[in-house]
Structures are given as structure tokens and as C-alpha cells.
Amino acid sequence: MKKLSIVDIANHLNVSKTTISFILNGRAQEKRIGKELVERVQKFVDEVGYKPNSLAKSLRTGKSNIIGLMVEDISNPFFAAIARLIEDRAYKNGYKIIYCSTDNDTSKTKDLINMFRDRHVDGYIIAPPEGIEEDISSLIKDGMPVVLFDRHLPNVSTDYVEIDNLFSTYNATMHLVQQGYKNIAFVTFASHQTQMQARLQGYKDAIKASGLRPVVQEIVFDQNEELIMGPIATFLKKNKNLDAVFFGTNHVGTCGLKVINNLGLKVPDDLALISFDDYDVFKLFSPPVSAIAQPIEAIADSVITVLLNKLNTSSQHISSQSIVLKTDFNIRGSSKAK
Amino acid sequence: MKKLSIVDIANHLNVSKTTISFILNGRAQEKRIGKELVERVQKFVDEVGYKPNSLAKSLRTGKSNIIGLMVEDISNPFFAAIARLIEDRAYKNGYKIIYCSTDNDTSKTKDLINMFRDRHVDGYIIAPPEGIEEDISSLIKDGMPVVLFDRHLPNVSTDYVEIDNLFSTYNATMHLVQQGYKNIAFVTFASHQTQMQARLQGYKDAIKASGLRPVVQEIVFDQNEELIMGPIATFLKKNKNLDAVFFGTNHVGTCGLKVINNLGLKVPDDLALISFDDYDVFKLFSPPVSAIAQPIEAIADSVITVLLNKLNTSSQHISSQSIVLKTDFNIRGSSKAK
């Protein structure tokens, strides 16, 4: 059965659309509409099971109970896990999440922000790509609740949830040094994003503090995995003196493991390994790979808590909040002492 | 700057809201609104850069260029990869995708369908949980384009995209038999969904055709991985005569590998392995695990092609279409001949 509209009800009861609308929106008394008519409308509505169109309702009230979530790439296990948990937490609090991948593409992201805006989402959770500062500033200026995560935009003052990237890579690099490794490379994606810059800096700081030489290989991201594996293979073949490699993301790490298998390298005897992010692929590798585990549940909890606070507080006086969470370093066989 | 509304424009030009609305919607001539006024409104609108609210527009036109995608669990790599590809294909065709996880929860799914409906999505792509037949039938009756994937609902006549589940497990079970394995178990999630039933049937058919005894272990799905690993461990300890195990999904397979590592079983000498779905974790295990690869790209392409055809055809005369795609069986070290 097709949903009844206010017009259908009005036609059926031979009453004006405006009157029906006032009654359904609880404004009968205010508008001095007779009790008898209110009862007649209510009875009919109960019988036919009319449900108000919530899109029209959100046009009136400006509330949709929907939160827009924008991640970089939903097929990345980090973002997939975060999205799943945020959706779960939000749903338990009466909010639905609709999400999209930005592909780190500025113009697609702008386009998606406009779509969310037009669909009247109540708030935004965004892992922002580069070049999106203006659009996010404009959302904030218009009073939209926005929480960033995974990274932040240095020139935009808003709430964000992050992990302690710099300390995490510093600490894990120091572990390699303590295990006796001396030629430690950092292989990562080329990126200006805050979290990637901080990871690189943590590695560099630890290498410098240990009096070693930094060896950094930045790889251009590509959807085609072969174009990530190729440069890693070339790099490893050219730098035969390396005794350890630190992969800067789960994606680089997974590609790196494939390259290491293809080259027939023994871990950790030929090459010790550490990866940022901790997933099944690292736990199940032989030997298991030491990895920095992001606190996925805590990130999701913090993001949704900060956003719900903003949604439920009409006051604009709360200054922005940044939450930095600790990671776990899971030491496994891939970084055994030399 | 805040977006101008029709009311703002009306107030500024001292013209009625209705008149502005008629002009902006190209109905000035029909409503006999003077040319001079139309030009004045148009000029002002051009100056201030007014953009019509596309939510209000979609209320009028019923078109949003948004497709609603509902997967079981976005953190499952199968659904994450499919969602990513569907989003990409849709975006290239001028459609945005908004997605949600159903958790295989009937009431959440009903709730999400209502939300999509209220947000005026143009079409639906759904991996349907059980118990949702009525809601999907109602969408279809109302003329909404719906494409199901991964599974179908036997009592609902609509388009769907699936893989050949029964043949895939039949074929892979036969491979184990040909490699000399005789005590082959099938470990899977307890489910009435069509794809899960077909996978189980393919295994049973092959076992029967080979004159062997079926050993089926159905596990109740749980978000907590320990509650999946526990029953697998108990099952493997109780059935020491098994020489091969076939995992019915990637999730069961990944949990199974962890159990096999924990129990210190050697693959394939103690136990040969095959898993449905093919992911990095299977490729990188030692030895690599033989796996049935779903044609993720072809599934995404088919889903979006079928839906776009429905969206672009005003005719209701197309009967529903079901597309069944072939899988690849990647034979690796985990099922080496005995």
C-alpha cells in the first residue's frame, strides 16, 4: 500500500490540508480547531496507519537524527571497523549513520558534504582529505556539529579524535634499536596529512636519538596494489644492507608482506618487521608481525560521545575539544632480538 | 555565508514566497507572472548565488540521485570491498551511495528502509537479512527499484546478483576428494539464507557423490570472535579423525586459522584446508590457503548496471532479472595431495 499523504487524508475527510497539518502537528488547540474534528482526523489516521513523512518533518524542524560519516576508503579495514562501531554506538543512541568514501578526493568530498547538507544530517564525522579546510570551516560557521578523526586540519578549529602517532612510531622504532637492529627503514605513503607526518616524525626522532641513519621510502598511493608492491620490491632490492623495515600503515604493511614472500626473505633473520595498525593478516603471518594496534573501540566511542555532546547541547559556548588516544604496541616474532 | 532561502529572497524583494517559488521553478509563464518581476528575481538570485535546496527539490520531483546500499556488516572485508566498488561505479554515473549495516537484524533493517524512503533515495541495493520479505515486497509494489545481492529471497520476485554457491563448494570439495582426503568437514555459520544453504548443499552433494560421510559443524554467529573460535576448537579436538576442513565463509576461515595456530596443527599434513572467499589473510598464511574467490568487481558492476537500467527505464514491463556469476577456485598449498 502506498503511504498516505496529508493531501490524501484531507481529500478523504473533506477538510483543508492546512487543518489536517495543524492537527497532526499538535497545534489544534492553538489554532482553535474543534475537538470533534480532531478526533475524527485522529481516528482515520489510526485506522489507515498514516506515518508523517520524516523528510518533510525534518524540513520543518531541521532535525533528522541522521549523522553523516565520511571515511577515506571503506574497503580499508581500519575505516571499515571504525564505521561499523560508530554506526553501532549511534544506533543505540537513536541516530542513524549514513556513510560515504571520500577517496581522499577533495572535489568528491565537497560534493558529499553538500549532499549531506541537503539531506539535513544533524552532524558530521569526517576523516578529512587535504584541501577541504574551507568547506569544513563553512559547516562550522553555520553551526553544524563536526568531529574530525584519524587526522586533523591544523587551520580549522574543531573537535577531533586522534591517536598518539608520533609517540607510537618513536616507541616502536626504539624497540627495533634495542633489539639490535641498526639499518631501519620507514616505508610509508607520501602524504601531507597530520597523522602520516607525525608517524614519520616519530621514526625520524628515534633514529636521530639513537645516532642511526634514517632511510625513508615514500610510496604514491594507488588503488592498484601492484603499483604499491612494485616500488617496495625495488626499494628492498636496492637497499640490501637494511636489517629492519617499519611499515607506516596497514595497507603498506600488507603489500610489504606480499613482496617479502615473493622475494623469499626470511623474517626476522633477513629483515625484521613492524607495521602500523594491527590486523589478522599480521597476527596470522609466520612469524607473527609486531604491530601498533589502534584502539578502534575507544576511537569510535570518543567520536560518537563528542558528537552527541555537541548535538545535545544548544549552547555554543563549548570550545573545541581534541582527544588523543594511546595505541598498544604488540611485540611478536617479526622483531625478535638479533 | 548561510544559504539563502526562498523566504529570504521574498522578504528582500518584497514579493510573496509563492511567487518566488513559481519563478524559480520555471512556472512564471503558466502562473502569468510579469516578465519584469521574473527578471528582477533572476537578477537578484544570480547576484547572491542562491542554490535551490535539493532536499526540497527532491520532495517536488521525487529524484535525489542517491542510492541506498544496505550490507550485512561493513567491517566484513567482502561487504567493505563490494560497497567501495559500488560507490565508485555509482559516482561515475552521477549517483551517490549512502550505506548502512543491517547486522542481519530485521527490525534495524526495516528502520533503515524507512529512513532511506523518507530521504527519497532513488533505488535500493540490499543484501537482505531473513524476515525482511514484506518490507522489500512493499518497496517493489510502490515502484521502487530494488536489487538484491549476495543472496535472494525465494518468495520475493525482484532482481538479484549472486554467485554460483552450490557449484563452488561442490567443485572445491571434489578437489579435496581427488587429493586423497576422506574425512572432510564443513564448518559454517548457522543460517537459513540462500547463499549459505547452497554452499552447504554443494558440499553435501560432493560428499554423497564420493561415497563419503558428511561432517557438518554449524556455528552461531557472534560479534565476539572468541565465541566463534571456541566452538571451532572444541569441534576440531573432538573430531581427531578429520583430515580436511572446508570453511564456509571468510570470517569462519579466519577464525579457523587462528584456532589451527593455537592448537599447533600442521597444514596440510594434520589438516588440509579450503575456505570460501579469498583474502590477504589466506594468501599470506603458511602454507597459503586454497580459497574460492568471489568476483567482487563483477558483482559490483552487475549490481550497479541492473539498478541503473531500472532507474533509467520508465517502463514497468521489464520482468525481474537474476544474474549468477562464476567464482574462481585458487588452489594453494593448504590442499596439497596426501
Side-chain angles (χ1 to χ4, degrees), chain A residues 10-300:
Chain A
N11 289 342
H12 184 91
L13 297 178
N14 205 15
V15 177
S16 89
K17 205 179 92 180
T18 317
T19 306
I20 299 288
S21 173
F22 283 143
I23 294 172
L24 294 179
N25 288 305
R27 299 175 65 189
Q29 212 173 0
E30 168 197 341
K31 293 289 172 184
R32 300 173 190 218
I33 298 167
K35 225 177 169 180
E36 196 206 14
L37 179 57
V38 173
E39 274 164 17
R40 195 149 65 89
V41 170
Q42 215 62 55
K43 188 160 164 268
F44 178 70
V45 160
D46 290 344
E47 272 170 26
V48 300
Y50 165 82
K51 280 183 204 159
N53 180 320
S54 67
L55 182 56
K57 196 177 156 205
S58 84
L59 271 177
R60 277 197 318 276
T61 65
K63 272 280 278 179
S64 64
N65 279 335
I66 296 174
I67 295 167
L69 168 63
M70 301 168 72
V71 300
E72 188 176 304
D73 172 3
I74 200 67
S75 69
N76 181 309
F78 170 71
F79 288 114
I82 288 274
R84 179 69 191 65
L85 292 169
I86 288 179
E87 189 181 0
D88 185 57
R89 303 313 191 251
Y91 198 71
K92 283 177 184 149
N93 283 284
Y95 283 86
K96 295 186 194 74
I97 296 274
I98 53 184
Y99 34 104
C100 303
S101 306
T102 66
D103 297 334
N104 271 335
D105 174 329
T106 312
S107 90
K108 186 180 177 193
T109 307
K110 285 173 194 251
D111 204 14
L112 293 171
I113 287 178
N114 283 333
M115 173 189 75
F116 280 148
R117 230 180 148 126
D118 286 341
R119 297 285 119 184
H120 286 218
V121 305
D122 291 342
Y124 297 76
I125 300 170
I126 307 177
E130 295 164 38
I132 204 69
E133 283 81 355
E134 242 179 68
D135 302 79
I136 291 182
S137 294
S138 143
L139 280 178
I140 295 166
K141 251 185 237 153
D142 290 352
M144 295 289 178
V146 177
V147 178
L148 308 182
F149 77 102
D150 188 52
R151 63 204 72 169
H152 67 275
L153 301 170
N155 300 325
V156 178
S157 157
T158 187
D159 303 56
Y160 62 85
V161 176
E162 277 188 347
I163 54 160
D164 192 346
N165 288 287
L166 192 146
F167 175 76
S168 301
T169 50
Y170 180 89
N171 180 49
T173 306
M174 279 303 193
H175 159 76
L176 285 172
V177 174
Q178 280 147 18
Q179 297 289 75
Y181 296 97
K182 293 197 172 353
N183 292 298
I184 306 167
F186 193 73
V187 178
T188 187
F189 284 128
S191 166
H192 293 291
Q193 292 173 355
T194 54
Q195 85 285 16
M196 300 306 289
Q197 289 293 318
R199 291 180 195 179
L200 179 57
Q201 195 58 49
Y203 158 81
K204 283 183 179 167
D205 288 354
I207 289 292
K208 196 174 176 189
S210 311
L212 299 175
R213 194 178 61 92
V215 184
V216 174
Q217 178 66 25
E218 291 189 308
I219 291 165
V220 176
F221 175 80
D222 198 285
Q223 282 292 342
N224 181 355
E225 210 173 71
E226 300 291 328
L227 298 182
I228 298 170
M229 288 169 63
I232 297 178
T234 307
F235 171 73
L236 291 181
K237 281 187 228 162
K238 271 194 191 160
N239 293 272
K240 297 227 190 264
N241 64 327
L242 293 176
D243 55 11
V245 173
F246 194 144
F247 295 117
T249 79
N250 62 345
H251 196 154
V252 173
T254 304
C255 292
L257 290 184
K258 290 181 183 176
V259 169
I260 281 162
N261 270 356
N262 290 349
L263 297 179
L265 296 172
K266 296 274 163 267
V267 177
D269 299 338
D270 295 338
L271 208 57
L273 296 182
I274 288 182
S275 185
F276 213 97
D277 293 322
D278 196 7
Y279 290 99
D280 286 339
V281 78
F282 300 134
K283 294 173 196 162
L284 285 165
F285 196 74
S286 297
V289 179
S290 300
I292 294 164
Q294 297 204 43
I296 308 273
E297 304 236 339
I299 296 172

Side-chain angles (χ1 to χ4, degrees), chain B residues 168-307:
Chain B
S168 300
T169 51
Y170 179 90
N171 180 49
T173 306
M174 279 303 193
H175 160 76
L176 285 172
V177 174
Q178 280 148 17
Q179 299 288 75
Y181 297 97
K182 293 199 173 347
N183 292 298
I184 305 166
F186 193 73
V187 179
T188 187
F189 284 129
S191 165
H192 293 292
Q193 292 173 356
T194 54
Q195 85 286 16
M196 300 306 288
Q197 289 292 315
R199 291 178 195 179
L200 179 56
Q201 196 58 49
Y203 158 81
K204 283 182 178 169
D205 289 354
I207 290 291
K208 196 175 174 189
S210 311
L212 300 174
R213 196 178 60 92
V215 184
V216 174
Q217 178 65 24
E218 291 190 307
I219 290 165
V220 176
F221 175 81
D222 199 284
Q223 282 291 342
N224 180 354
E225 208 172 73
E226 299 291 329
L227 298 180
I228 298 171
M229 288 169 64
I232 297 177
T234 308
F235 171 73
L236 291 182
K237 283 187 228 163
K238 270 195 189 159
N239 293 271
K240 298 230 190 258
N241 64 326
L242 293 176
D243 55 10
V245 173
F246 194 143
F247 296 116
T249 79
N250 62 345
H251 196 155
V252 173
T254 305
C255 292
L257 290 184
K258 290 181 182 177
V259 169
I260 281 161
N261 271 357
N262 291 348
L263 297 178
L265 295 172
K266 295 273 164 270
V267 177
D269 299 337
D270 296 337
L271 208 58
L273 295 182
I274 287 182
S275 185
F276 213 98
D277 294 321
D278 196 7
Y279 291 99
D280 287 339
V281 79
F282 300 134
K283 293 174 197 161
L284 285 166
F285 196 73
S286 301
V289 179
S290 300
I292 295 163
Q294 296 205 44
I296 309 273
E297 304 237 339
I299 296 172
D301 283 341
S302 303
V303 163
I304 206 74
T305 304
V306 171
L307 187 62

